[in-house]
Amino acid sequence: MRHLYNRLSQDLGKSRLLLPILQFYMNHSKAVLHDPQEAYRLIFHTVLSQSFMDNALMFDMVMFLRQNLEALCHNTQILTTFFPNIFKILAWNPRTYLSEFEELLPALMSSSTALEVLHVLLDLPCMTIALEVTNHWDGKGEALSQSDTDPTSSTEAFQHIFFRPMFNFFTRVEGGHGDTINRLASFHKAVKDMSQHPRVVVCSQAVPVLLRVWFEVVLEEGTTDFAAHLLAVLLERSALLYDMPDFKTDVKRILSENVVRLFKKFPQILIDVQSEIQDFVMSVSNIMGREEFFANMVWAVGEYCSSTHDDRCSTDIIKRFFDTLEPLTYEMSAMVSMGRVTSSQGHAKIISILMSSIAKLSSRCQDLIPRAVLCLSKVSQQQQQCGAQDPEIQNTLVSCSQHLVNLLQIPNFAAVVLNPCPEIHTGRWHLDSTGLPATLRGVHRIITSDS
């Protein structure tokens, strides 16, 4: 077997024959006292890099990965080392191997590689573009262009000295080489001409499916420290996606849904990443194209900035978050009332969540209640004085503001209503004779009997 392996390793045209030899090594390497690391590296580094377009070989390789998944995870570092190379199989054949990669994806993730795998998934269309352009490029001997003008096509971008490292990054073989955030927006613009390429379109459709699998693994196996790092990444990457309308819509929806699930499981990350969250929510520009994600972040601030969820949440932290949301509420209300927004419903929803979050924060720090009442009252006045707005949106915002103001007039009552016991989700809170629901039912019976 060693002689056969040595002979075949010199002729990569017969690479399919290496897989049965590798299977033999996996099954019997301990018995024959042979270390198969050289064979692993040859196949998953060299062969896969050069032959990802060979359909027969890729089929055999995917089947090999599936059949030996447990052994590869426990006995080797192949999957967590060469996962960018392995993703080339999917990037080149997105329609063929999607279900197989749903099974393989958890095995490619570890505590050290999961975030980089997330970047790979979000950039999978870019990997397909890089493979397409690299595969069809004939002028490898030509010097790279150093022109100051921006390239108008992906081919020109590949020839440009500024963008060539990006192509090399997306076609890298091993993981652990950082990310592309600093120059990603420029790269997306340079390769915009490939957005309708059939392979790129199909690849973009596979990303949401794998993202759901990725988040399921993280929410089941992740730690608080990892969740904190992940949240910082989501704040950036939710705005850095390849410009394909359906792709961006689907991915942003998944990110928005899962950021809520992330906070519900790891509420402590609000304190861990408080600076990044404050920087994110204080800027109106972050709303554009990310209304749902932004709204969920504001909701998380109001919901989890409490000592109930984290003992580190002091009065000073509550005040800092309040100081961030208060001017944003004024600005958003003015924009909606003046009609200076592209999506009235989306922005109105954010204003409603902002008012609710301000009320919740002030109920936990009663020194803030006068400011909260003033802010909510001004929002109500702004909306009532506006005649150009949708009446339904106007009435909803005014009603929400007035309800919260009335609630904050009784601070102790507001603290109970706006910060219910966690047991509310179990149903016990509704059955407890000392809980708010039982008290309200009693008051209702008294009023009804008097009337």
Side-chain angles (χ1 to χ4, degrees):
M1 295 299 288
R2 290 175 183 170
H3 288 308
L4 182 59
Y5 168 78
N6 291 334
R7 188 173 61 182
L8 291 174
S9 63
Q10 305 301 319
D11 183 7
L12 296 184
K14 299 178 180 179
S15 298
R16 290 185 71 186
L17 298 176
L18 289 171
L19 288 174
I21 297 177
L22 186 58
Q23 185 69 66
F24 173 84
Y25 284 159
M26 288 195 66
N27 296 339
H28 306 290
S29 59
K30 291 183 179 179
V32 298
L33 301 177
H34 177 72
D35 185 359
Q37 293 302 319
E38 180 185 351
Y40 287 143
R41 187 167 186 83
L42 174 66
I43 292 176
F44 289 101
H45 183 288
T46 307
V47 172
L48 185 51
S49 296
Q50 299 179 9
S51 306
F52 63 87
M53 295 175 292
D54 186 332
N55 293 329
L57 176 59
M58 292 304 101
F59 177 83
D60 287 349
M61 190 165 289
V62 170
M63 293 304 104
F64 176 85
L65 289 171
R66 290 185 62 192
Q67 293 165 8
N68 299 280
L69 195 56
E70 184 175 352
L72 288 170
C73 287
H74 294 152
N75 303 328
T76 75
Q77 300 294 323
I78 295 301
L79 299 178
T80 53
T81 300
F82 298 111
F83 66 87
N85 220 19
I86 295 172
F87 268 110
K88 291 178 184 177
I89 303 174
L90 179 65
W92 193 256
N93 303 280
R95 196 185 303 276
T96 306
Y97 297 117
L98 178 57
S99 60
E100 285 77 11
F101 268 80
E102 288 183 71
E103 180 181 347
L104 294 175
L105 181 59
L108 303 176
M109 299 168 58
S110 69
S111 58
S112 60
T113 64
L115 282 178
E116 191 175 353
V117 170
L118 174 64
H119 284 294
V120 172
L121 290 176
L122 295 176
D123 295 329
L124 204 59
C126 296
M127 179 183 289
T128 302
I129 292 171
L131 294 176
E132 281 280 355
V133 175
T134 304
N135 184 49
H136 292 95
W137 175 244
D138 295 326
K140 294 183 179 179
E142 297 182 9
L144 295 179
S145 170
Q146 301 187 28
S147 172
D148 293 333
T149 59
D150 294 330
T152 57
S153 68
S154 53
T155 303
E156 289 184 13
F158 185 71
Q159 301 174 56
H160 200 285
I161 193 171
F162 179 78
F163 292 103
R164 178 64 70 87
M166 301 288 286
F167 282 90
N168 294 337
F169 177 82
F170 287 121
T171 56
R172 67 193 185 279
V173 174
E174 299 183 26
H177 297 289
D179 56 49
T180 59
I181 287 177
N182 292 336
R183 294 154 59 182
L184 195 54
S186 300
F187 183 82
H188 288 165
K189 184 177 179 181
V191 298
K192 183 68 171 63
D193 63 305
M194 293 288 287
S195 62
Q196 298 303 314
H197 189 283
R199 182 173 275 120
V200 177
V201 172
V202 177
C203 183
S204 70
Q205 295 168 352
V207 173
V209 177
L210 295 176
L211 273 180
R212 294 189 186 279
V213 176
W214 189 91
F215 275 107
E216 290 300 329
V217 174
V218 166
L219 290 169
E220 182 177 350
E221 304 290 343
T223 63
T224 302
D225 289 341
F226 179 84
H229 285 98
L230 172 58
L231 181 59
V233 170
L234 295 181
L235 293 176
E236 292 182 303
R237 287 311 308 264
S238 58
L240 286 171
L241 299 170
Y242 185 56
D243 192 12
M244 300 175 69
D246 292 341
F247 168 72
K248 293 176 72 172
T249 300
D250 291 342
V251 170
K252 287 179 181 179
R253 182 187 303 113
I254 293 172
L255 298 184
S256 300
E257 293 171 356
N258 283 283
V259 77
V260 172
R261 298 176 66 195
L262 198 68
F263 273 110
K264 286 183 177 179
K265 182 163 185 182
F266 306 104
Q268 303 88 346
I269 63 177
L270 184 75
I271 307 302
D272 295 333
V273 198
Q274 58 177 303
S275 298
E276 290 86 345
I277 294 174
Q278 286 176 319
D279 291 341
F280 180 79
V281 299
M282 72 169 49
S283 177
V284 176
S285 61
N286 288 327
I287 300 176
M288 185 63 64
R290 290 188 284 178
E291 289 85 357
E292 191 69 23
F293 187 88
F294 192 93
N296 289 345
M297 289 300 303
V298 174
W299 170 84
V301 171
E303 188 70 14
Y304 296 109
C305 186
S306 168
S307 59
T308 302
H309 299 286
D310 194 328
D311 294 337
R312 297 173 297 169
C313 186
S314 63
T315 301
D316 290 338
I317 292 177
I318 294 175
K319 287 182 177 179
R320 283 201 291 270
F321 274 113
F322 187 93
D323 291 341
T324 301
L325 297 186
E326 184 184 32
L328 179 64
T329 305
Y330 285 124
E331 186 175 0
M332 289 286 297
S333 178
M335 291 173 61
V336 171
S337 63
M338 298 171 62
R340 293 192 291 109
V341 294
T342 56
S343 173
S344 298
Q345 289 186 340
H347 284 69
K349 176 181 178 180
I350 294 174
I351 294 175
S352 179
I353 296 175
L354 278 167
M355 291 192 294
S356 177
S357 296
I358 282 177
K360 290 178 182 179
L361 292 175
S362 64
S363 71
R364 297 165 195 153
C365 179
Q366 296 190 1
D367 292 345
L368 298 173
I369 287 181
R371 288 173 58 186
V373 170
L374 177 62
C375 179
L376 296 171
S377 301
K378 286 191 174 182
V379 170
S380 178
Q381 293 173 4
Q382 281 182 325
Q383 301 308 314
Q384 288 174 331
Q385 294 170 359
C386 173
Q389 191 182 170
D390 184 340
E392 183 178 357
I393 294 177
Q394 184 181 39
N395 294 334
T396 300
L397 292 177
V398 171
S399 176
C400 177
S401 173
Q402 291 174 346
H403 285 323
L404 291 171
V405 169
N406 293 337
L407 193 59
L408 291 174
Q409 298 297 334
I410 313 174
N412 293 337
F413 190 70
V416 176
V417 174
L418 296 175
N419 305 282
C421 174
E423 292 181 347
I424 189 175
H425 299 293
T426 67
R428 178 180 175 184
W429 197 60
H430 294 274
L431 302 175
D432 191 343
S433 60
T434 62
L436 178 63
T439 304
L440 291 176
R441 286 195 295 269
V443 172
H444 176 72
R445 283 195 296 269
I446 294 172
I447 295 176
T448 304
S449 61
D450 289 346
S451 61

